[in-house]
Amino acid sequence: MLLRAVLCLLFATCISSVVGLDFTGANWIWIPGRATDGITYPPGNATFRRDFTATNGKVPISANILINVDDGYTLYVNGNAVGTAHNYRTAQRYCVPLVKDCNVFAISALNNEPAGAGNAAGVLAAIEIHYSDGFIDTIVTDAEWHAVSGTPAGFEQVAFDDSQWPAAFVEGSYPNTAPWNRPENAMTIPPESQNPGPSLQSAQWIWTNELTGPGSAVPIGARAFRKTVTLPNGELAMQAKILIATDDGFTLYVNGLLVGSAELLYTSANQYVVNFPPTSRVVIAIFASNIGGPAGIFAAFDLVSCDCSNDDYFATDGSWKYNLGTPAGFIAPDYNDSAWPMAVTEGGFGAAPWGPTRLPTSNSPQSAAVRGAPNAHPADVVV
C-alpha cells in the first residue's frame, strides 16, 4: 500500500476535537485479478504508491499512519523504511516526519497464503497529515493509489515514476468487506497513544514567599503564576493535557487564551485538554486566589507532540514564577516575568493539609474567568 497523488484536494479540518485516527472512510485495496468469488487472489507481491503534495502553501509536519495488510507488508515514506508486519489480524500505527514539498507513501505488500479458494489479499490504511498551522488532512486507501503486481526496483523512492501504473482495485469499504468482516478475522487496532498523560505524582503544591511553612495560612487575595516551556531541538506541540487543583480558586490560561476556572476545588482536580497551533513555546498563566487559610496550586501538564517526537511533561514546582499581585497583561505569552521570583513548594501528592487529590473521570469544559481574573479569548478546549 503506497500513497500517490500529486494533486490532492483534501478537506482541511481544524483540530477542534480529539478523535483518534481510525479506518473510517478507508477501503481494502489490491491489484486487479480477483476471482469471481469476490475474495480469492493468487499468492504473490503487489506494490502500492501515493504521492502527496500540500496545497495553498501549507507546510506538512508529520503523518500519523494506521495500516493493515493481508498478509504482510513493508511501509516506506519518502524512500525510508518505516515498519514491517505479517499479521492481518492486528493493525499498526506509525508517526513519520514529513518534508514540505512532495511526500511519497509506498508499500510492498505480500499475499503469502497457499493458492486456493478463499485466499484473500488486501491493503487498508488511513493517514493523518498534520500541518504547521494546526490543520489536518486525512488520506485513506482508495482508487487514488497506484498499484502493480510484483516489486519494481526503486519503487519506494520519491523520484520513481509510477505514472503508467493503473489505479488500485477497490475491494470494498471498511468494515463491511468480506472476508475481513467475519468474526474469525476480527482486527485489533492499537490505541492511538501509549503516553501516560499528566501525573500529579510528580507535582508540588506551590505558592508565594508569604508562606511561613508548608500549608500555612497566607494573606487573602489573588496572585499570578507563570511557567514558560520551550521545547528542545525545535520540537513542536499541538495540545496540552492538564490536571489542576487549587486552594482556593483559579483561572487557567494557555498561550494567552482562557481555558477554564474553578473555586473551592482543592480535594479534586479539574482535567483539561487544550488544542493550539503547533508551537515550540508554551506559556501557562494562572490567576490563583485565596479566601483564607492555606493556599496552593497543584498541577501537571503533558504537551502532546505533533512532529513524532516524545511528549513533554512538567508540573508545578520551584521553577514556576509568581507575583504578589496580578499585573496587567500577565497572561500574555510575551509578558516579561524575568523579575518575578520563584515559587515556594509546600509538598507533593497527599501533602497536608490537602491530602490525596482525587482525579477526574472526564474533561472539564471551557469556562469563564473567576471574578477579578483577566478576560481573554477562549482556548480550544476539548470535552
Side-chain angles (χ1 to χ4, degrees):
M1 304 162 148
L2 278 54
L3 300 124
R4 150 94 169 111
V6 177
L7 293 176
C8 288
L9 299 178
L10 302 171
F11 294 99
T13 307
C14 190
I15 311 173
S16 58
S17 62
V18 175
V19 178
L21 176 65
D22 58 24
F23 287 121
T24 298
N27 301 277
W28 287 97
I29 62 173
W30 200 250
I31 56 177
R34 188 171 64 176
T36 56
D37 64 5
I39 292 178
T40 304
Y41 271 102
N45 289 79
T47 302
F48 301 78
R49 278 178 56 98
R50 197 176 192 285
D51 301 338
F52 174 80
T53 300
T55 58
N56 300 322
K58 287 183 172 291
V59 178
I61 297 173
S62 63
N64 289 332
I65 303 170
L66 179 63
I67 182 173
N68 194 12
V69 175
D70 185 350
D71 293 295
Y73 71 89
T74 298
L75 168 68
Y76 300 85
V77 177
N78 295 334
N80 300 308
V82 173
T84 298
H86 295 88
N87 181 1
Y88 69 88
R89 290 187 176 89
T90 302
Q92 291 77 41
R93 292 187 186 272
Y94 305 99
C95 184
V96 183
L98 298 179
V99 298
K100 104 175 144 173
D101 298 315
C102 180
N103 290 274
V104 175
F105 302 83
I107 300 165
S108 173
L110 172 65
N111 179 24
N112 62 359
E113 294 294 325
N119 177 23
V123 168
L124 182 70
I127 301 172
E128 189 176 74
I129 309 293
H130 289 262
Y131 294 102
S132 61
D133 61 3
F135 282 71
I136 290 175
D137 280 337
T138 301
I139 300 169
V140 296
T141 39
D142 55 19
E144 293 289 326
W145 292 64
H146 288 194
V148 293
S149 178
T151 310
F155 75 90
E156 75 280 11
Q157 299 300 319
V158 173
F160 185 89
D161 181 9
D162 65 4
S163 60
Q164 301 304 308
W165 288 18
F169 174 74
V170 176
E171 302 182 76
S173 64
Y174 173 87
N176 305 311
T177 302
W180 302 286
N181 61 349
R182 297 171 183 168
E184 64 270 22
N185 294 324
M187 185 196 314
T188 299
I189 299 178
E192 187 155 29
S193 174
Q194 305 297 328
N195 295 319
S199 172
L200 290 174
Q201 297 292 334
S202 62
Q204 295 280 316
W205 285 92
I206 62 171
W207 199 248
T208 70
N209 66 352
E210 297 163 298
L211 292 163
T212 58
S216 69
V218 294
I220 293 171
R223 306 290 182 261
F225 293 80
R226 283 174 55 95
K227 173 74 173 180
T228 299
V229 177
T230 301
L231 302 181
N233 304 317
E235 294 174 6
L236 296 172
M238 65 176 182
Q239 183 184 83
K241 297 178 180 179
I242 303 167
L243 290 169
I244 181 170
T246 60
D247 184 356
D248 288 296
F250 73 87
T251 297
L252 171 68
Y253 306 85
V254 173
N255 291 339
L257 300 179
L258 174 56
V259 175
S261 302
E263 295 183 280
L264 300 175
L265 187 74
Y266 52 82
T267 59
S268 60
N270 273 24
Q271 177 172 285
Y272 296 100
V273 176
V274 184
N275 292 326
F276 43 78
T279 180
S280 60
R281 183 174 181 267
V282 177
V283 177
I284 308 296
I286 300 174
F287 174 99
S289 59
N290 177 41
I291 60 174
I297 299 173
F298 191 54
F301 301 80
D302 172 8
L303 298 183
V304 180
S305 164
C306 66
D307 61 358
C308 304
S309 55
N310 293 327
D311 285 10
D312 285 86
Y313 303 90
F314 63 100
T316 45
D317 58 18
S319 67
W320 285 62
K321 294 190 170 185
Y322 74 86
N323 189 287
L324 292 178
T326 55
F330 84 89
I331 68 172
D334 58 355
Y335 181 89
N336 183 4
D337 62 11
S338 60
W340 288 21
M342 297 298 186
V344 179
T345 61
E346 305 184 76
F349 187 88
W354 303 284
T357 304
R358 294 195 302 270
L359 298 179
T361 58
S362 60
N363 292 343
S364 297
Q366 198 278 335
S367 59
V370 298
R371 182 178 179 181
N375 287 318
H377 293 294
D380 183 4
V381 179
V382 178
V383 293

